[in-house]
Amino acid sequence: MTRTIDSASAIVIGGGMIGCSIALDLLRAGVQTTLFDKGKLLQEASTAAAGMLGAQVEIHHPGAFYELCRFSQSIYKGWTEELEQCSGLSAQYIERGILRIAYNEEDEAELRSRLSWMQDAEWIDSGTIRSLEPGVAYGERGGLHFAKDHQIHPVHTARALEAALRREGCTIHEESPVFGLIEKNGRICGIRTAGEEHYADHIVLASGAWASALTEPFGLSLPIFPVKGQCISVRLPSPIIEHTVFTKGCYVVPKMDGSLLIGATQEEAGYDKKAHVSVIAALYRRAVELLPELAEAELVSTWAGLRPGTRDELPFIGTSSRLPGLIIAAGHYRNGILLAPATGKLIKQIVLGEAPSVDLSAFNPDRVLNLTP
Ligand code: FAD
């Protein structure tokens, strides 16, 4: 039996880092917010991530996406401090940058080209790499030092974010998949869960790699798809690196508890989240080539997560003329941890009718209409 059980000012579909960040900003702005997740909060890509805040390491071209990443990086520390104050839990923010080691001639050329437009990137030669991180086995070609690409621990930040949300009074429905959007008078105004309808003034779609399933019935085919990433966590008796060390196809991130996170593969394998021995072994070999001391490491765990990929590698942030009433915040691909604070703030600005802090035209969901018949 279908029944209408409540009315809220905003409904957020998806309780990953993006949906939770949006919900928290909306609540703090006085918007009554209800969050739905098909499972438990923060159990998908957001806690499978490495936690790099890589506004420099991840970006290959100047432009709107770089500016968005830099904006989020600039507000990140304050965001985690607020979460920590509200929750009493540490986000495990580490203010140490990334060494991006040049892998081959082509990789070196690409890295050097970034110096012409990228802020906060410094070229380092092999001697500097050795003095900063003596355990790195190769580095003859030099590399880039991104001093501002700090990191958090996604699992700890997620715990702090969830505790803050509950403390701010968010209405949370876990194990409540949203099966459809409700349209009335040409506007999206509600959602359907199992046997229930919920209505709100604003509906926000933040369901990561699953987002397109809800827009497709309305003719908006968002090209969002899962990109699997497999990771390894290992431990050694004493620290072997202080910076995150990143090269083509592999990175090693030292965490506050002494573990080292090795990541990550990139596979288009549907919604399969199994970690595979052969793939994990190949990733581990690559990490040992980079940091030979890893050969002695104790295995802590392996896992896989599903990044919400997009064909142009840009997120969708904003509204679509095809679906008035729906606000979309999905497709953050490799940078959703970094982009969570900015996305929360920007969606709050859209809901309140304020001018966004950064130009969102490059992330407009309508850019896909040219591709859909
Ligand atoms: P998710 O965390 O996947 O959350 C989506 C939520 O929506 C889920 O909880 C899901 O259950 C829910 N949902 C889906 N469908 C429905 C429905 N119909 N109804 C209700 N709920 C629904 N990013 C960085 O910035 N730095 C990194 O170092 C980094 N490393 C990464 C390493 C790996 C191995 C992976 C996999 C990702 C990494 N990322 C990184 C990317 C980052 O994890 C993602 O971009 C980010 O987590 C996306 O957040 P999200 O909230 O959109 O998605």
Side-chain angles (χ1 to χ4, degrees), residues 207-285:
S207 50
W210 296 264
S212 59
L214 291 173
T215 63
E216 257 156 32
F218 295 87
L220 182 65
S221 190
L222 292 172
I224 300 179
F225 52 92
V227 181
K228 179 175 173 179
Q230 302 192 41
C231 290
I232 315 169
S233 173
V234 300
R235 195 180 285 284
L236 280 152
S238 50
I240 59 165
I241 47 171
E242 290 188 354
H243 300 80
T244 293
V245 179
F246 192 131
T247 191
K248 227 177 167 51
C250 169
Y251 50 73
V252 184
V253 190
K255 294 294 176 188
M256 230 175 231
D257 64 2
S259 65
L260 295 153
L261 187 154
I262 301 169
T265 63
Q266 290 227 135
E267 305 155 64
E268 288 189 32
Y271 288 90
D272 165 40
K273 280 200 304 181
K274 289 189 281 294
H276 288 273
V277 176
S278 61
V279 179
I280 290 289
L283 179 64
Y284 180 58
R285 275 196 298 277

Side-chain angles (χ1 to χ4, degrees), residues 97-268:
I98 295 179
L99 303 189
R100 173 63 171 86
I101 313 288
Y103 184 68
N104 56 21
E105 194 179 340
E106 191 192 351
D107 192 36
E108 179 186 342
E110 192 278 316
L111 290 175
R112 284 190 184 278
S113 74
R114 294 193 207 178
L115 288 165
S116 62
W117 55 269
M118 189 171 261
Q119 294 98 326
D120 303 313
E122 183 196 0
W123 189 260
I124 45 174
D125 61 16
S126 56
T128 311
I129 292 174
R130 264 193 302 278
S131 69
L132 288 171
E133 293 298 353
V136 173
Y138 57 82
E140 320 78 51
R141 294 185 175 278
L144 284 171
H145 181 200
F146 301 118
K148 289 199 176 163
D149 281 1
H150 299 160
Q151 56 143 317
I152 51 96
H153 195 305
V155 173
H156 289 274
T157 303
R159 281 186 197 142
L161 179 54
E162 182 174 348
L165 262 186
R166 292 189 187 276
R167 203 164 166 175
E168 295 283 350
C170 190
T171 306
I172 297 172
H173 296 268
E174 292 179 302
E175 313 291 351
S176 289
V178 173
F179 294 120
L181 303 172
I182 300 170
E183 182 186 13
K184 280 194 182 151
N185 304 322
R187 280 186 71 79
I188 299 299
C189 58
I191 58 149
R192 277 193 191 89
T193 59
E196 292 175 347
E197 292 180 354
H198 298 253
Y199 292 88
D201 303 326
H202 304 276
I203 311 293
V204 182
L205 181 64
S207 50
W210 296 264
S212 59
L214 291 173
T215 63
E216 257 156 32
F218 295 87
L220 182 65
S221 190
L222 292 172
I224 300 179
F225 52 92
V227 181
K228 179 175 173 179
Q230 302 192 41
C231 290
I232 315 169
S233 173
V234 300
R235 195 180 285 284
L236 280 152
S238 50
I240 59 165
I241 47 171
E242 290 188 354
H243 300 80
T244 293
V245 179
F246 192 131
T247 191
K248 227 177 167 51
C250 169
Y251 50 73
V252 184
V253 190
K255 294 294 176 188
M256 230 175 231
D257 64 2
S259 65
L260 295 153
L261 187 154
I262 301 169
T265 63
Q266 290 227 135
E267 305 155 64
E268 288 189 32

